[in-house]
Amino acid sequence: MIDRISPLQSGSLSPKKTVAGAAQTSFGEQLLQRQQESQIVAFSKHARERAEQRGIQVDDQLMNQLSDTVERAQAKGATNILAFDTTRAFIINVPNGRVITTMSPEEMKENIFTNIDGAVIL
């Protein structure tokens, strides 16, 4: 025989209370705000794998440099850029803030970079 579940008694499982005076925002608004507060660039799965294979260390300093680069490229209207220094290079899709691939110095010497409309020295 199946027992019926009784309704919750008053106060047994109350919803979380909000801080007095705090504006209530939807989950989507909060998520969007957090994304905007965080860095504006991310690595694709392919780029993460390439960085690992090529010994390119992805740390907070690099992420900040790439985020700044994407912001500057957006201001100029670029869509796909090459961001590079003497030890590494990144192809970045600016509108999506997505690193597409990474290259080591050896690979940079052998490549022709196509489908980019801007270059930024890190």
Side-chain angles (χ1 to χ4, degrees), residues 57-108:
Q57 184 178 358
V58 179
D59 56 16
D60 288 340
Q61 181 182 1
L62 173 63
M63 294 302 289
N64 289 333
Q65 283 181 310
L66 294 176
S67 292
D68 180 57
T69 298
V70 168
E71 286 177 354
R72 291 186 294 145
Q74 283 174 336
K76 295 288 186 178
T79 54
N80 291 296
I81 63 168
L82 168 67
F84 67 100
D85 62 15
T86 58
T87 61
R88 58 206 171 180
F90 306 90
I91 301 292
I92 304 171
N93 177 269
V94 175
N96 294 324
R98 178 85 49 193
V99 176
I100 305 302
T101 194
T102 64
M103 288 160 273
S104 65
E106 297 80 33
E107 294 164 319
M108 287 189 281

Side-chain angles (χ1 to χ4, degrees), residues 1-81:
M1 186 168 183
I2 298 174
D3 292 333
R4 293 195 180 266
I5 298 173
S6 63
L8 294 175
Q9 294 178 357
S10 175
S12 62
L13 287 176
S14 61
K16 291 185 179 180
K17 296 180 182 176
T18 58
V19 177
Q24 291 187 6
T25 57
S26 72
F27 174 78
E29 290 169 339
Q30 290 178 18
L31 180 61
L32 182 61
Q33 182 180 1
R34 294 289 173 129
Q35 288 174 336
Q36 289 172 347
E37 290 173 358
S38 67
Q39 296 161 336
I40 61 167
V41 68
F43 276 66
S44 68
K45 181 179 177 186
H46 171 80
R48 278 190 311 248
E49 291 171 355
R50 293 294 179 259
E52 187 177 311
Q53 291 170 352
R54 295 165 178 163
I56 297 172
Q57 184 178 358
V58 179
D59 56 16
D60 288 340
Q61 181 182 1
L62 173 63
M63 294 302 289
N64 289 333
Q65 283 181 310
L66 294 176
S67 292
D68 180 57
T69 298
V70 168
E71 286 177 354
R72 291 186 294 145
Q74 283 174 336
K76 295 288 186 178
T79 54
N80 291 296
I81 63 168

